[in-house]
Amino acid sequence: MSYETAIGLAMLGVMIAAIFLGFPISFTLLFLAFAFGWWGLGDVVFNLAYFQSIGLMKESLLAAVPLFIFMGFVAEQAGLMERLFSALRLLLAPVRGALFIVVIVTAAAFAMATGIVGAAVTVLGIMAAPIMMRSGYDGQLAAGAITAGGTLGILIPPSVMLIVMGPVLGVSVADLYAAAIVPGFMLAAMYVAYVAARSFFNPKLGPALPKSERAASVWPVLRAVVLGVLPLAGLVAATLGSILAGMATPTEAAGMGAAGALVLAAAYRKLTWAGFQRALMQSLATSSMVLVLALTSNIFGAVFARLGAADWITETLLAAPLPPALMLALVTVLIFLLGWPFEWPAVILVFLPIFYPVVNGLGVDLVWFGALVAVTLQTAYLSPPVAMSAYYLKQVAKGWSLATIYKGMFQFMAIQIVAIALIFLFPAIATWLPDYLFRSGALVVSEPPTTTSADPLGESYDQMYQRSLENLEQ
Amino acid sequence: MPLLTAAVRAIDRFAELCGVAIAWLMVPLVAAVVYEVVARYAFAAPTIWSFDVTYMLYGAMFMLGAAYTLRVGAHIRTDFFWERWSPRTRGVIDTVAYVVFFFPGIALFLWVGWDEAWYAYEIGEMSEQTPWRPLLWPLKACVPLAAALLLVQGLSELTKSLYAALTGRAFA
């Protein structure tokens, strides 16, 4: 091991210790990259950091991040979830465990219009928790359904997490989106099957709704469903559809989605000045948080690689006498454990780049690996005691104790672990759709025409790093 | 003390006002993307400027928004232990970290960013990515500007953490 590599590994160790203190991760990373980088590399570290920064600011793929976040906040204000929820509630009222199923289906549908977690859990909590308590639903199962359903937002496209993950793994975001769709809806179906079976065999957990809560005739119900579902379906088809059909880049789809959500909100007469302003401010804070972390962890990663520590870790791990499947399982478990104390931006941007060369060296399908990581990190949202969704729910459903919420989440966490095992053992769950759409020739992907010859779209962070090295040499 | 409180409030207000202005960049960003898609598919007339405008607005927005994000406490922390710590412990950690990590790191970033932006301005550097070839210095100037805004907001945050460290109460 060279002197520089030792500095790089020391930097990694200090970083892990330092970010546990709780100071904002971005600023800790920036300083450590400067300090250790200057020690090991000299003044060149400042230029390296600068080229990484400006490279990230010019990465047009990541413009999809603020746009999808904005789309989610506007769709939330448009009351799309409320409409869907009340329509489905009327439709499913006679079924045992109706409200559990309604919560999960609403959450899965809304996940296609938002890319983050928070909002869905909060809105579902406000809408569903009071009715569930009133109707004598089991608190644990109810809290579990709300938190589990709400976390589908970061898995099911347009997940912001997958956009950020694409360049880390060097795969296209469209591939990752296609790979997350089947696992996402498989999970939703597993949740529904679980709550339906539990309440079928024990109706006390979730009774069918009383006659007074049911609709008198079927027509108003169908009308409500159509009015609630159709606009959302149109929005989803326009955004996800255009990405999966290869017609638009994720950035273009996100822009169209944001505009579409604004039109929907206006059509429902829910677009207020204050609400619009609030959506703008929330979008700014959320996207700036994610992207500043992307920028600083890119600088950190570039310094780490330049010091030779990244190669050293890869070579050491690949030299270990472990079968590839076991190595992959270890990486997956490690990512799950990291998802406990850290939120997804930190895991994807800070730690995944350290594992990436190892996984790449094993020669596995990185699209499949991306889907596996996505489900693993979604599970981390459901793993008490550090689980954001529990806090979001507790804030709006004061009637449930944190212990009740945790017990409910544990049940759904077990379902998640089954799903992770299934995706691990049967990669086709994730890879079938992207293979069918993009890689088997079933569909000729026409790259959206851009006005440039050297198309910088979809550049991986690694390529960005290589380019910044070229810049340094000039 | 009242003077210091007033200064903290003034800085926070400044960050919020800047935040509002920066958040509105979302509107031209959405407009630029939508215009390009509609022009391309409906009129078969793709624009020459949309690609550059899109990344410039996105880059400017998230960089300049960093100070507002600091003001509203949205920069991600590892809350594993943080949740359980008293206001005083939090204040001590933040005070030390602002002095040791934040100010030196951001000041270096300001210095490097300023040099590069000034150089881009002097030579009239243009983007090589598209035939439109827009000037690059406005985007590059966002780096030192974002760092400067962060340093200003950092003064307010440092004062608040110092207050918490000394009194054991969170600054309200």
Side-chain angles (χ1 to χ4, degrees):
Chain A
M1 196 196 308
S2 73
Y3 181 57
E4 283 82 15
T5 305
I7 293 177
L9 294 175
M11 175 171 82
L12 181 66
V14 172
M15 181 272 283
I16 291 174
I19 63 180
F20 264 105
L21 288 176
F23 192 67
I25 299 173
S26 297
F27 305 124
T28 308
L29 288 178
L30 183 69
F31 174 77
L32 292 180
F34 277 153
F36 282 88
W38 189 74
W39 183 15
L41 304 170
D43 286 345
V44 75
V45 70
F46 300 116
N47 301 321
L48 187 63
Y50 183 76
F51 285 124
Q52 287 290 320
S53 308
I54 204 74
L56 195 96
M57 289 169 73
K58 286 160 93 176
E59 178 59 67
S60 64
L61 167 71
L62 291 177
V65 171
L67 288 168
F68 271 135
I69 288 174
F70 183 57
M71 170 184 167
F73 281 124
V74 174
E76 181 198 336
Q77 300 212 338
L80 289 179
M81 258 205 278
E82 285 86 346
R83 279 174 177 270
L84 207 59
F85 181 80
S86 51
L88 289 173
R89 200 179 93 199
L90 292 174
L91 188 71
L92 291 174
V95 181
R96 282 180 191 170
L99 290 176
F100 295 139
I101 302 173
V102 171
V103 161
I104 294 166
V105 173
T106 305
F110 189 70
M112 288 188 286
T114 187
I116 47 178
V117 170
V121 176
T122 310
V123 177
L124 284 171
I126 292 170
M127 284 187 311
I131 316 176
M132 289 171 127
M133 289 179 203
R134 210 167 55 225
S135 314
Y137 271 56
D138 178 59
Q140 293 181 12
L141 209 52
I146 292 174
T147 46
T151 56
L152 289 172
I154 59 159
L155 177 62
I156 293 177
S159 153
V160 168
M161 179 169 82
L162 293 175
I163 301 178
V164 177
M165 194 197 291
V168 173
L169 294 176
V171 297
S172 91
V173 172
D175 273 339
L176 280 180
Y177 273 4
I181 287 178
V182 177
F185 288 103
M186 180 184 82
L187 274 166
M190 287 164 78
Y191 300 160
V192 168
Y194 176 69
V195 293
R198 289 280 313 265
S199 26
F200 181 80
F201 291 113
N202 183 2
K204 279 203 205 94
L205 292 176
L209 293 183
K211 287 273 190 284
S212 59
E213 299 256 352
R214 297 185 196 176
S217 99
V218 72
W219 290 112
V221 176
L222 280 183
R223 186 168 170 273
V225 171
V226 167
L227 279 182
V229 171
L230 267 191
L232 182 66
L235 187 64
V236 170
T239 50
L240 292 188
S242 60
I243 298 176
L244 296 180
M247 285 171 62
T249 64
T251 306
E252 289 167 346
M256 295 303 282
L262 282 171
V263 170
L264 267 186
Y268 286 144
R269 308 196 175 282
K270 285 284 178 68
L271 191 62
T272 62
W273 181 253
F276 181 68
Q277 184 77 38
R278 195 164 61 242
L280 284 178
M281 301 317 290
Q282 286 173 320
S283 307
L284 178 67
T286 309
S287 40
S288 188
M289 177 273 280
V290 173
L291 293 164
V292 169
L293 182 63
L295 184 130
T296 52
S297 51
N298 247 16
I299 294 175
F300 185 89
V303 171
F304 190 67
R306 194 90 204 267
L307 288 168
D311 287 342
W312 184 85
I313 287 191
T314 312
E315 283 157 21
T316 311
L317 286 182
L318 285 180
L322 288 176
L326 189 62
M327 184 77 95
L328 261 181
L330 277 180
V331 170
T332 311
V333 169
L334 214 51
I335 287 172
F336 176 77
L337 293 178
L338 286 169
W340 236 325
F342 301 110
E343 290 190 51
W344 70 260
V347 180
I348 301 264
L349 291 162
V350 182
F351 294 105
L352 194 58
I354 298 173
F355 298 133
Y356 160 75
V358 180
V359 176
N360 196 27
L362 293 174
V364 300
D365 184 346
L366 289 168
V367 172
W368 166 71
F369 178 70
L372 195 65
V373 171
V375 179
T376 307
L377 286 178
Q378 184 225 343
T379 309
Y381 265 89
L382 287 173
S383 25
V386 189
M388 292 312 290
S389 9
Y391 307 140
Y392 294 139
L393 181 58
K394 178 66 188 161
Q395 277 166 13
V396 294
K398 303 250 188 288
W400 289 329
S401 72
L402 215 46
T404 305
I405 298 177
Y406 284 167
K407 283 178 192 157
M409 290 167 81
F410 270 123
Q411 303 173 27
F412 286 84
M413 209 177 125
I415 301 180
Q416 292 288 133
I417 290 171
V418 172
I420 294 173
L422 283 175
I423 298 169
F424 195 89
L425 295 174
F426 306 103
I429 296 171
T431 57
W432 171 79
L433 191 59
D435 280 346
Y436 175 76
L437 284 178
F438 303 118
R439 302 193 279 192
S440 67
L443 184 113
V444 181
V445 180
S446 56
E447 277 299 312
T450 48
T451 41
T452 161
S453 51
D455 185 5
L457 275 180
E459 187 179 46
S460 71
Y461 294 133
D462 200 41
Q463 286 164 310
M464 209 187 287
Y465 168 63
Q466 295 302 334
R467 204 154 47 84
S468 67
L469 289 190
E470 282 160 27
N471 271 318
L472 285 183
E473 272 145 27
Q474 278 167 16
Chain B
M1 277 311 271
L3 200 66
L4 214 52
T5 312
V8 165
R9 299 233 189 279
I11 293 177
D12 286 358
R13 188 78 198 116
F14 172 70
E16 284 157 18
L17 288 175
C18 291
V20 171
I22 295 155
W24 274 88
L25 290 177
M26 182 71 81
V27 176
L29 176 59
V30 172
V33 174
V34 170
Y35 188 94
E36 164 70 18
V37 173
V38 172
R40 189 200 315 148
Y41 284 108
F43 304 107
T47 67
I48 189 175
W49 50 265
S50 165
F51 182 84
D52 290 289
V53 167
T54 301
Y55 72 74
M56 285 185 172
L57 286 171
Y58 132 84
M61 188 166 69
F62 90 83
M63 279 302 271
L64 297 175
Y68 172 78
T69 310
L70 184 63
R71 159 70 189 101
V72 295
H75 282 295
I76 195 166
R77 295 175 183 266
T78 312
D79 48 16
F80 200 68
F81 299 119
W82 189 257
E83 292 270 313
R84 278 161 264 184
W85 275 329
S86 66
R88 187 185 298 272
T89 312
R90 291 181 181 189
V92 171
I93 289 175
D94 264 1
T95 304
V96 174
Y98 272 110
V99 173
V100 177
F101 289 168
F102 182 90
F103 285 107
I106 303 294
L108 284 169
F109 204 56
L110 171 70
W111 167 65
V112 181
W114 171 260
D115 272 1
E116 295 282 349
W118 183 248
Y119 180 70
Y121 175 77
E122 275 194 327
I123 64 166
E125 188 190 358
M126 291 182 287
S127 168
E128 305 288 326
Q129 295 189 16
T130 65
W132 189 46
R133 294 171 62 81
L135 282 173
L136 271 181
W137 68 262
L139 181 69
K140 291 197 163 180
C142 288
V143 176
L145 189 55
L149 290 173
L150 272 172
L151 288 178
V152 172
Q153 185 57 34
L155 289 176
S156 161
E157 300 298 325
L158 175 64
T159 313
K160 289 180 210 167
S161 9
L162 208 54
Y163 176 89
L166 293 175
T167 66
R169 289 192 308 269
F171 184 92

